Amino acid sequence: MKVDVLVLGGGLAGLSAAYHLGERGVRSRLVVEAKDRVGGTAGSVTTGRFTFDYTGHLLHLHDPYGKSLILDLLKDNVAAHERKAWIYSQGAFTRYPFQANTKGLPPETVADCVAGFLETVHRPTPLDRNPDFLSWCRATFGDGITRRFMRPYNEKLWRTPLSKLTTEWQGRFVPKPTASEVLYGALTDGNALFGYNATFRYPVRGGIQSLPDALADRLEPGVVRVDSPVLAVDLREKVASVRGLGEVRYERLVNTLPLNAFLDLAKPLPAGVKAARGDLRWNTVWNLNVGIDRPAPADKHWIYYPEKRFPFYRVGYSSNFSPHLAPEGHAALYLEATRPGGTRVDRDKLEADMIKGLREAGLLRRSDEISAKIWMPVPVGYVVYDRARTPAVNTIFRHLASLGVESIGRYGGWKYSFMEETILDGKRCAERLTGGEPAAEPSAAPLRALK
Ligand SMILES: Cc1cc2nc3c(=O)[nH]c(=O)nc-3n(C[C@H](O)[C@H](O)[C@H](O)COP(=O)(O)OP(=O)(O)OC[C@H]3O[C@@H](n4cnc5c(N)ncnc54)[C@H](O)[C@@H]3O)c2cc1C
């Protein structure tokens, strides 16, 4: 088999690349996907009468093109929501984000947080050009907010000392309030919709799976092959070995597999690239989904748990995104914990701890019946932005570009991003391959030039 463009992985990045290549006249393209369905991390699993995503997968639409494409794909199968996100700490629920909503916490905590924030305003701490995340938190939010939320929560999520993380990933994801917003949020419950992503959209039926399904439906029959894992890639010979298809020769390769997994399948690799591969670190998201025979509280979409006594860092009620994810009178919950990628996890123990944690958090009562329970881990869930990440990624991408190989998406691009951006990654990749946008590296010649 021979194609102009071979796309590895049928998640949103791979589907989007194939769709936008088609829009730009490239017909000879093939997407090979290991699982029996498209969508990857933006997929859903139905068990009994519950449908679960890989934790929460909410649509935050910021780009005009991304927004119009996604809304056109979902047509009337989408609803808009105002975020109802909370934090549970020191026995109290406060609104998310913590930095703008301390009302309800013990007075000494509120004072600590507000005073620390005001310090950052009156006596700003100069920061390096590339500060570590801990120093950045202290300089941006002050010691109180850092100690009470930023540090414990982020350590639980990243599983890495914050002084070893960079700030490259956080950008707009961690909003900084003004002094008056901090004071207002300490005195009133008025900052509910503060910050980035205060509203979101979500499919009415079918879970987030309906988005990749709609994108795949735009492709001609045969462009996507599911149940077709790529087993090996010979970068020099430009041939991939795919289970069920045999050898697939390609002109150009687009990888959307997690970069570590792709490099483990690819050969030959120079020593520098192998060394860079060894520097990549990631966390696995251990996502346990639970269905219970009682409706979800109407005022909560999800809750952050920064304290160590809870095994999860976040629990969400997906049946509040769409009532069709759970049978009537039932709630669908997702629980999230992370562990460093590649470490062994005793799943039975973690599950017992998670259920105990749900009881201690008051989310599960003795009288509740668990009607569904399913693990949906994401093996490469969060790329860890330590100091080694960016130099390693640059080395790897320089080499791949010299071979005309694109590596895109949240995991192929080895970054922190979200669904809309992933779809745009696929579009930009198609533009580069067809000469519409300058290639990342001059050696990555546009596809037309190869024909
Ligand atoms: C816990 C969590 C929560 C998130 N929440 C949100 C959210 O609320 N909103 C949002 O916008 N984004 C969210 N995201 C991000 C979103 O999931 C990603 O941006 C997007 O799904 C990434 O798509 P992708 O195509 O880059 O990768 P993937 O979806 O991982 O696609 C890669 C594909 O490659 C396939 N594959 C792997 N190995 C092989 C092989 N050997 N051969 C063939 N195929 C293979 C996989 O099965 C998969 O389908 C979240 C991510 C996580 C982890």
Side-chain angles (χ1 to χ4, degrees), residues 36-76:
D36 61 358
R37 54 154 186 87
V38 296
T41 316
S44 315
V45 173
T46 296
T47 170
R49 289 186 297 152
F50 290 87
T51 297
F52 295 108
D53 297 343
Y54 291 84
T55 81
H57 262 80
L58 317 171
L59 289 162
H60 306 293
L61 306 179
H62 302 284
D63 175 84
Y65 173 79
K67 181 174 178 179
S68 73
L69 175 61
I70 290 169
L71 294 183
D72 190 46
L73 285 167
L74 291 172
K75 303 257 184 286
D76 54 1

XYZ file of all heavy atoms in Angstrom, residues 36-76:
317
model
N -10.657 0.483 18.374
C -11.760 0.137 17.464
C -12.667 1.324 17.195
O -13.746 1.181 16.641
C -12.566 -1.038 18.036
C -13.197 -0.695 19.383
O -12.980 0.433 19.882
O -13.894 -1.565 19.943
N -12.249 2.520 17.620
C -13.033 3.731 17.354
C -12.080 4.903 17.237
O -10.947 4.841 17.734
C -14.039 3.992 18.476
C -13.381 4.033 19.854
C -14.112 4.843 20.873
N -13.307 4.925 22.091
C -12.381 5.843 22.315
N -12.133 6.779 21.417
N -11.687 5.843 23.424
N -12.566 5.964 16.601
C -11.747 7.173 16.518
C -11.923 7.986 17.805
O -12.731 7.654 18.656
C -12.149 8.045 15.299
C -11.876 7.315 13.996
C -13.613 8.497 15.398
N -11.160 9.054 17.930
C -11.386 10.006 19.024
C -10.284 10.062 20.058
O -10.080 11.080 20.694
N -9.603 8.921 20.255
C -8.498 8.902 21.217
C -8.946 9.409 22.580
O -9.977 8.977 23.116
N -8.205 10.379 23.118
C -8.493 10.906 24.455
C -9.814 11.667 24.477
O -10.424 11.813 25.535
C -7.340 11.835 24.897
O -6.101 11.202 24.553
C -7.355 12.075 26.381
N -10.238 12.162 23.328
C -11.528 12.849 23.247
C -12.610 11.846 22.826
O -13.438 12.134 21.955
C -11.450 14.014 22.268
N -12.583 10.674 23.424
C -13.570 9.651 23.112
C -14.427 9.374 24.336
O -14.210 9.942 25.408
N -15.410 8.508 24.182
C -16.293 8.158 25.300
C -16.524 6.655 25.291
O -16.417 6.016 24.246
C -17.653 8.852 25.177
O -17.495 10.203 24.835
N -16.858 6.128 26.470
C -17.137 4.699 26.599
C -18.508 4.558 27.242
O -18.799 5.220 28.247
C -16.056 4.020 27.472
C -16.434 2.565 27.761
C -14.688 4.101 26.794
N -19.342 3.705 26.657
C -20.667 3.469 27.237
C -20.666 2.125 27.945
O -20.222 1.127 27.393
C -21.748 3.511 26.132
O -21.758 4.844 25.596
C -23.131 3.200 26.681
N -21.104 2.156 29.192
C -21.208 0.918 29.958
C -22.577 0.927 30.624
O -22.905 1.877 31.336
C -20.047 0.756 30.973
O -20.349 -0.340 31.817
C -19.771 1.991 31.794
N -23.383 -0.101 30.345
C -24.768 -0.096 30.821
C -25.467 1.132 30.253
O -25.371 1.429 29.066
N -26.098 1.905 31.128
C -26.804 3.099 30.642
C -26.027 4.391 30.944
O -26.580 5.484 30.915
C -28.207 3.133 31.243
C -29.105 2.032 30.615
C -30.541 2.140 31.080
N -30.652 1.933 32.513
C -31.618 2.458 33.280
N -32.533 3.240 32.743
N -31.678 2.199 34.569
N -24.734 4.223 31.253
C -23.878 5.393 31.504
C -22.897 5.575 30.346
O -22.413 4.591 29.778
C -23.050 5.194 32.786
C -23.863 5.232 34.040
C -24.475 4.079 34.525
C -24.023 6.419 34.748
C -25.221 4.111 35.690
C -24.767 6.453 35.907
C -25.374 5.295 36.387
N -22.614 6.828 30.046
C -21.551 7.135 29.080
C -20.530 7.995 29.792
O -20.896 8.993 30.436
C -22.125 7.883 27.856
O -23.059 7.010 27.212
C -21.026 8.253 26.862
N -19.260 7.592 29.690
C -18.192 8.329 30.372
C -17.151 8.801 29.365
O -16.789 8.072 28.445
C -17.482 7.430 31.395
C -18.358 6.993 32.538
C -18.792 5.678 32.632
C -18.735 7.884 33.532
C -19.591 5.259 33.697
C -19.541 7.483 34.595
C -19.968 6.162 34.671
N -16.647 10.014 29.582
C -15.478 10.507 28.833
C -14.227 10.185 29.655
O -14.320 9.748 30.805
C -15.562 12.029 28.658
C -16.766 12.457 27.825
O -17.351 11.606 27.131
O -17.112 13.653 27.892
N -13.084 10.486 29.064
C -11.841 10.376 29.831
C -11.770 11.614 30.730
O -11.288 12.652 30.319
C -10.631 10.275 28.900
C -10.615 8.962 28.149
C -11.342 8.795 26.977
C -9.915 7.860 28.648
C -11.371 7.586 26.308
C -9.939 6.645 27.988
C -10.675 6.515 26.819
O -10.715 5.302 26.172
N -12.353 11.528 31.906
C -12.631 12.630 32.847
C -13.585 13.610 32.157
O -14.438 13.181 31.388
C -11.351 13.325 33.372
O -10.871 14.259 32.416
C -10.254 12.345 33.720
N -13.424 14.909 32.416
C -14.306 15.884 31.770
C -13.671 16.354 30.475
O -12.470 16.621 30.445
N -14.453 16.453 29.413
C -13.933 16.980 28.147
C -14.875 18.065 27.650
O -15.856 17.784 26.958
C -13.748 15.859 27.122
C -12.350 15.389 27.050
N -11.802 14.517 27.953
C -11.346 15.729 26.209
C -10.535 14.318 27.648
N -10.220 15.043 26.600
N -14.573 19.279 28.041
C -15.461 20.405 27.792
C -14.918 21.249 26.660
O -13.693 21.403 26.527
C -15.572 21.253 29.060
C -15.720 20.396 30.318
C -15.613 21.235 31.559
C -17.044 19.647 30.281
N -15.819 21.811 25.897
C -15.386 22.586 24.728
C -15.224 24.059 25.088
O -16.205 24.726 25.449
C -16.412 22.431 23.604
C -16.416 21.037 22.976
C -17.701 20.784 22.205
C -15.188 20.874 22.073
N -13.989 24.518 25.032
C -13.672 25.926 25.235
C -13.278 26.454 23.865
O -12.248 26.049 23.322
C -12.517 26.088 26.217
C -12.761 25.383 27.518
N -13.742 25.774 28.391
C -12.168 24.297 28.083
C -13.738 24.968 29.435
N -12.802 24.055 29.267
N -14.099 27.312 23.308
C -13.882 27.722 21.922
C -13.443 29.181 21.886
O -14.185 30.069 22.298
C -15.162 27.503 21.117
C -15.718 26.063 21.211
C -17.004 25.917 20.420
C -14.685 25.046 20.749
N -12.243 29.403 21.427
C -11.663 30.756 21.448
C -11.293 31.256 20.060
O -11.166 32.445 19.846
C -10.401 30.776 22.327
C -10.667 30.338 23.731
N -11.287 31.150 24.652
C -10.431 29.173 24.372
C -11.422 30.511 25.793
N -10.914 29.295 25.656
N -11.061 30.343 19.143
C -10.597 30.731 17.818
C -11.803 30.773 16.859
O -12.599 29.820 16.840
C -9.578 29.683 17.329
C -9.146 29.946 15.912
O -8.235 30.769 15.738
O -9.735 29.345 14.985
N -11.951 31.836 16.071
C -13.157 31.939 15.218
C -13.320 30.739 14.282
O -14.418 30.189 14.152
C -12.924 33.229 14.427
C -11.897 33.997 15.194
C -11.081 33.014 15.977
N -12.215 30.300 13.646
C -12.344 29.166 12.731
C -12.653 27.876 13.518
O -13.538 27.102 13.149
C -11.068 28.972 11.888
C -11.151 27.706 11.069
C -11.893 27.666 9.895
C -10.532 26.525 11.510
C -12.022 26.489 9.163
C -10.656 25.343 10.788
C -11.398 25.325 9.621
O -11.538 24.158 8.912
N -11.883 27.671 14.615
C -12.092 26.459 15.423
C -13.529 26.388 15.911
O -14.180 25.338 15.842
N -14.016 27.515 16.377
C -15.386 27.559 16.908
C -16.406 27.231 15.814
O -17.290 26.401 16.007
C -15.638 28.963 17.466
C -16.991 29.151 18.079
C -17.050 30.531 18.717
C -18.427 30.771 19.304
N -18.529 32.074 19.936
N -16.236 27.860 14.638
C -17.258 27.627 13.606
C -17.192 26.182 13.117
O -18.226 25.556 12.882
C -17.124 28.631 12.461
O -15.998 28.308 11.686
N -15.990 25.608 13.018
C -15.902 24.213 12.571
C -16.550 23.279 13.601
O -17.369 22.415 13.256
C -14.431 23.813 12.340
C -14.203 22.335 11.995
C -14.911 21.949 10.693
C -12.707 22.015 11.883
N -16.201 23.463 14.863
C -16.712 22.552 15.904
C -18.235 22.668 16.026
O -18.948 21.661 16.096
C -15.987 22.819 17.245
C -14.534 22.340 17.141
C -16.699 22.138 18.415
C -13.628 22.750 18.271
N -18.751 23.895 15.986
C -20.211 24.057 16.096
C -20.907 23.500 14.856
O -21.994 22.928 14.950
C -20.573 25.526 16.333
C -20.089 26.072 17.688
C -20.544 27.511 17.879
C -20.565 25.207 18.855
N -20.260 23.627 13.703
C -20.846 23.066 12.488
C -20.826 21.532 12.544
O -21.753 20.869 12.075
C -20.067 23.582 11.271
C -20.775 23.231 9.979
O -22.000 23.446 9.923
O -20.123 22.715 9.052
N -19.775 20.976 13.132
C -19.702 19.514 13.253
C -20.807 19.000 14.182
O -21.437 17.986 13.918
C -18.332 19.093 13.810
C -17.154 19.180 12.835
C -15.824 19.049 13.578
C -17.253 18.098 11.755
N -21.023 19.712 15.281
C -21.983 19.218 16.277
C -23.421 19.619 15.948
O -24.365 19.049 16.520
C -21.592 19.718 17.673
C -20.300 19.100 18.217
C -19.873 19.779 19.512
C -20.458 17.592 18.456
N -23.567 20.599 15.060
C -24.905 21.087 14.664
C -25.741 21.381 15.931
O -25.275 22.122 16.787
C -25.599 20.069 13.753
C -24.779 19.744 12.504
C -25.344 20.446 11.301
C -24.656 20.102 10.024
N -23.336 20.675 9.836
N -26.949 20.765 16.053
C -27.757 21.110 17.230
C -27.464 20.195 18.421
O -28.122 20.283 19.451
C -29.255 21.110 16.891
C -29.676 19.790 16.263
O -28.818 18.899 16.122
O -30.866 19.653 15.907
